[in-house]
Amino acid sequence: MADDPLYDLLIPYLEKPSSPSTVSDPPPSAGDTVTSNYLARLSTLPLASLTSTEPQSLSQSSHSLLLSLQALSTRSHKSVITASDHLSDLSTTLPTLTEEAAKLQEALPRLDEEALRFSQTYSKSGDSRLLDRRKKAMLLDRNVDRISDILDLPSLLSSAISASAVGSSGSGVPSSGGYATSATTNYASALDLHSHIKRLHTLYPTSPLVGSISTQAEEAMRGMASNLVTGLRTQGVKLAGGMRTIGWLRRIAPELDDSGARQKGLASAGHEGGLGALFLVCRLANLVSMLEALEPLRELADQESERSRQKPERQSVTKVNGSTWSGGEQTEKYLKRYIEIFREQSFAMISMYKNIFPSSSISPDHTADTSEMGNTFKVATLKSATSNGNGSEPPMEDPLQPLPSPLASFPLHLVSMLEDTLKIYLPNIRDRASKESLLTQVLYCAGSLGRLGSDFSMILASLESPDNDSDGDSDEGGVEQEEWVDVVKKHRVLAGRLELLASGVGTEADSNASPPP
């Protein structure tokens, strides 16, 4: 386009300003497309059009462009001003951007090193305390409901035990009715909770949380065991309640149930262990408390004993038909009530014991077992005596294990209690009929225990009055000594008649029955 003669011809005119006050714009470039197209168009127009129509066409185009620029300024003047401001700031922004880009380029190696260190530090395959704590926190968050349930176990256990104590009227043994069912259910729930806590402690022995919960549960179970033992000491314990209580104690303290049985390799179900002794001690405590309730009558009987010892010469003795009568009315009341309570409670506790612990009944082979145990003890003694003392032979098992049932000696203790009381207070009664009535009551008591293998009727022979040694009347002493013989004979006659009536024999045979020799 630089070789176009028309462009060269018109270039001087394009460089001149249109008016003296107007600054001349630079001429259009020869390579501009619009300029080249316009010059090509001019070359095709006739000369007349150049002088007539072309100036008008240029004026219209200029006016149209002016209107378009005005409309554009009206619509987009704000954008144009903003663009102009940004364009003016671009001269300072570009150097700043260049500097920051250079700094970023310098920091990229350090960033790469830190990213590599972070990936190595917090890698899943590596050991990181922070990751471990985060994993534990996330695990705790996922299992917060289970942890909450586990934390509630001690309180639930304590609530069940407390509700059972309330349902059983403050004692460990459930009473009757709905309270008994509620107490039984609560105790069963408490034992199930304790078993669950023990299972958790077995599964997670190193967990501090489970260990703390297990400790709290053991404290609660000790309280439950205390409630149950206290319940065995209360009055009105029936067989069903006693069996349930012993069953619960077996689950709470299994070490009491097989004491000494494991050393012999015997099943724990065949030996009552320490639970039998615990049951007898608790029921004995109940018997003692009931007998201590007779304290007012005992004090009156003690007063009669004191008067009998201090003023023997003032006692008036009257013989009527071979019988004697003197004081002792309060002593008679005390002994009657004492023997009545003793008979009821002793029979109840021994029969209940035999029902709860069936293996405690003395079998016919008891003597053979005792002889075998004695032979074992003799052999063990001979072997220990003949050993060389250098530990060449292994130690033998204890021949005294398992220990015998506590029921073997318990009736003797009960009878000794009754015997001591009778020896103290029976001499105060001088009336023969009253004394015979008391001795008959003792024989009935001995008979009731005799059905359980604990007959003690022969202790009447040892109940001699201490006045017999100091009294000079030998006839009266003889009568005193033969009282128990007559009472035993009469009791045997009555017992024989009752047996005949129970077997269905007529009363005629009863009238002809004679006392046994």
Side-chain angles (χ1 to χ4, degrees), residues 375-394:
N375 295 332
T376 305
F377 181 75
K378 291 179 181 179
V379 172
T381 305
L382 290 175
K383 287 186 177 182
S384 61
T386 56
S387 61
N388 53 10
N390 55 4
S392 59
E393 295 185 1

Side-chain angles (χ1 to χ4, degrees), residues 129-144 147:
R129 295 182 180 179
L130 294 177
L131 285 179
D132 291 340
R133 286 194 297 175
R134 183 174 295 179
K135 289 178 181 178
K136 290 179 181 180
M138 295 176 64
L139 182 62
L140 179 62
D141 182 68
R142 290 195 302 267
N143 296 277
V144 63
I147 298 297

Side-chain angles (χ1 to χ4, degrees), residues 148-159:
S148 178
D149 294 339
I150 292 175
L151 291 174
D152 290 338
L153 288 177
S155 59
L156 290 175
L157 181 60
S158 301
S159 300

Side-chain angles (χ1 to χ4, degrees), residues 9 42 54 69-70 126 173 196 231 271 328 374 398 405 511 517:
L9 181 65
L42 282 178
E54 187 62 23
L69 288 175
Q70 290 177 352
V173 179
H196 181 61
H271 294 265
D398 189 358
S405 172
S511 60

Side-chain angles (χ1 to χ4, degrees), residues 211-224:
S212 175
I213 292 174
S214 179
T215 302
Q216 298 179 27
E218 292 299 330
E219 293 178 357
M221 295 310 291
R222 282 195 291 268
M224 178 178 172

